């Protein structure tokens, strides 16, 4: 991220943290992440999730986001670009987006991924995209799981409801994931994705309720 944007990004992060803590009652505890290339992976309940994880950690994060929302929320697109959001096509070919994500991590930055690919799927953490495992294999970056709870799920109709409906948001950050070093190709990505799924599910014991 360009140094000239640093002060503005810091201001946006401070405003986001205030919003998450005051309105959504997120804990004021800040998780210190390791320096250098890093990948965060978590469950996806609603559009508020990226704000919550960013408010929880001490480093600025880049994100992948659905292209349909990137284009629809044109008034906020400048902000998405400012913080390094990477638009992706849900369920489609995303080679260019994946390469951008790999470049972000290789540059020493932290990126946050939601491997479910969409918010509030019918069966949580059932269908997982292999992109996170692929980025980890391509960069060798450490991976840390997290789990969001205590927020109102996206109903696939009202995009903004989870933002303005008050909640008791919780974000739990786990320990670094040790991915497999054995199988290659699709088998290896599948095995790694299974490990990621288990790591996120293992944090469910800390789940909170919205209200």
């Amino acid at each position: 991220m360009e140094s000239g944007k640093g002060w503005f990004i810091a201001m946006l992060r401070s405003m986001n943290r205030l919003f998450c803590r005051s309105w959504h009652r997120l804990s004021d505890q800040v998780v210190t992440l390791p320096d250098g290339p890093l990948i965060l992976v978590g469950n996806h309940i609603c559009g508020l999730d990226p704000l919550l994880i960013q408010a929880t950690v001490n480093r600025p994060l880049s994100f992948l986001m659905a292209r349909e929302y990137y284009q629809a929320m044109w008034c906020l697109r400048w902000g998405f670009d400012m913080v390094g959001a990477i638009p992706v096509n849900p369920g489609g070919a995303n080679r260019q987006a994946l390469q951008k994500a790999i470049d972000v991590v290789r540059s020493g930055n932290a990126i946050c991924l939601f491997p479910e690919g969409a918010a509030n799927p019918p069966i949580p953490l059932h269908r997982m995209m292999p992109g996170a495992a692929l980025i980890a294999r391509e960069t060798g970056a450490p991976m840390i799981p997290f789990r969001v709870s205590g927020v109102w799920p996206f109903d696939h109709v009202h995009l903004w409801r989870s933002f303005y409906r008050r909640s008791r948001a919780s974000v739990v950050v786990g320990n670094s994931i040790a991915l497999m070093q054995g199988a290659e190709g699709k088998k290896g990505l599948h095995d790694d994705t299974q490990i990621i799924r288990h790591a996120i599910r293992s944090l469910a014991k800390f789940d909170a309720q919205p209200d």
Side-chain angles (χ1 to χ4, degrees):
M1 298 182 183
E2 298 176 19
S3 58
K5 298 177 181 178
W7 68 271
F8 193 73
I9 292 175
M11 183 182 71
L12 289 177
R13 289 174 60 203
S14 295
M15 292 172 62
N16 173 59
R17 189 167 286 158
L18 178 62
F19 169 67
C20 292
R21 290 177 177 176
S22 60
W23 186 247
H24 290 285
R25 295 175 280 198
L26 182 69
S27 168
D28 60 2
Q29 179 182 4
V30 176
V31 176
T32 300
L33 299 175
D35 295 330
L38 185 65
I39 303 168
L40 273 69
V41 288
N43 63 320
H44 201 4
I45 300 177
C46 64
L48 183 66
D49 299 344
L51 278 64
L52 295 172
I53 182 61
Q54 180 61 87
T56 299
V57 301
N58 68 319
R59 293 181 59 181
L61 304 174
S62 292
F63 296 89
L64 297 185
M65 70 175 297
R67 188 177 299 277
E68 59 183 305
Y69 297 132
Y70 176 83
Q71 294 174 340
M73 295 187 284
W74 56 269
C75 58
L76 298 177
R77 200 176 301 167
W78 63 272
F80 298 147
D81 294 338
M82 180 75 71
V83 299
I86 303 172
V88 297
N89 302 311
N94 285 298
R95 291 183 181 180
Q96 185 176 6
L98 282 173
Q99 187 57 56
K100 287 183 179 179
I102 290 169
D103 292 342
V104 165
V105 177
R106 283 179 174 166
S107 297
N109 299 304
I111 194 166
C112 177
L113 306 172
F114 299 97
E116 290 172 287
N120 192 27
I123 305 176
L125 297 173
H126 176 68
R127 181 175 179 267
M128 301 275 285
M129 310 295 283
L134 176 62
I135 295 170
R137 288 197 168 217
E138 289 291 324
T139 62
M143 179 179 288
I144 295 177
F146 68 90
R147 187 173 177 93
V148 177
S149 64
V151 296
W152 298 102
F154 177 42
D155 63 3
H156 302 279
V157 177
H158 305 96
L159 178 62
W160 294 102
R161 181 170 292 176
S162 61
F163 291 86
Y164 65 73
R165 188 176 183 184
R166 202 171 192 204
S167 66
R168 292 188 181 276
S170 173
V171 178
V172 176
V173 180
N175 297 320
S176 182
I177 301 173
L179 297 179
M180 301 290 289
Q181 300 296 323
E184 299 293 332
K186 290 184 178 180
K187 177 64 166 59
L189 292 177
H190 177 268
D191 292 345
D192 286 351
T193 301
Q194 290 286 85
I195 294 172
I196 294 170
R197 176 189 287 112
H198 176 74
I200 299 171
R201 277 181 174 166
S202 69
L203 301 174
K205 59 186 176 183
F206 302 108
D207 280 1
Q209 298 302 313
D211 196 35

